[in-house]
Amino acid sequence: MCTHAVISLAATSLVVMNVAAISLAPLLDAAPAIPPHALAAMAAFVLGVVQFAAPKGTLPHRTIGAVWVGLMAVVAISSFWIHQLRLVGPWSPIHLLSIFVLITVPLAVWKAHRHQVADHRRIMISIFSGALVIAGLFTLLPGRIMHAVVFGQ
């Protein structure tokens, strides 16, 4: 997926939200692992959009990227304490996504350090698209906490 398509999809998802209905109360009342998980995901989403739009290879790109990597680690690791969807014992497919993130984020950083920019870009776009945009859209389904945050009860 090209960068412009990812930014378009991200922008469209923001436009679809009814900003007037947003309330953080359902999120703040959730199980203890959920608020830091969701807030880190939202911050990573915003920084990811900034990264796509900003010049690459600069000190700000690398600095924001380091923050983004930390946020994605929080998102992935915190997910192991979230068990709202249980398909195999306490686990769900989202936990496989977390393992994927914990493996591919360091791989993408390593690719950047080795100046393998095309691989770095492809991996980062894949992580952003799958772990933040697509997984994030699933959190907006009725009955989910983020649905209540964005659209009200």
Side-chain angles (χ1 to χ4, degrees):
M1 183 178 271
C2 76
T3 304
H4 296 292
V6 171
I7 292 172
S8 275
L9 183 59
T12 302
S13 67
L14 290 175
V15 169
V16 168
M17 295 181 196
N18 179 0
V19 177
I22 292 178
S23 167
L24 291 179
L27 180 60
L28 299 176
D29 293 338
I34 295 174
H37 174 82
L39 294 171
M42 288 185 276
F45 178 83
V46 170
L47 287 182
V49 171
V50 168
Q51 286 291 74
F52 287 133
K56 310 301 181 264
T58 63
L59 181 59
H61 178 81
R62 291 190 303 270
T63 304
I64 291 170
V67 172
W68 189 85
V69 164
L71 288 168
M72 289 306 293
V74 169
V75 172
I77 293 167
S78 65
S79 76
F80 294 109
W81 282 268
I82 299 172
H83 303 286
Q84 265 56 31
L85 301 174
R86 297 170 183 254
L87 297 179
V88 179
W91 311 111
S92 72
I94 202 74
H95 295 102
L96 293 174
L97 181 60
S98 297
I99 293 167
F100 170 79
V101 166
L102 291 171
I103 293 168
T104 57
V105 167
L107 176 63
V109 171
W110 181 70
K111 293 289 189 179
H113 283 290
R114 299 203 24 104
H115 303 286
Q116 296 173 349
V117 176
D119 289 339
H120 169 75
R121 179 183 304 113
R122 179 182 47 78
I123 295 167
M124 287 301 198
I125 290 172
S126 296
I127 295 166
F128 182 86
S129 302
L132 293 174
V133 175
I134 294 171
L137 289 173
F138 277 106
T139 69
L140 297 175
L141 292 173
R144 305 293 307 273
I145 292 168
M146 291 310 294
H147 181 275
V149 167
V150 174
F151 303 109
Q153 297 293 343

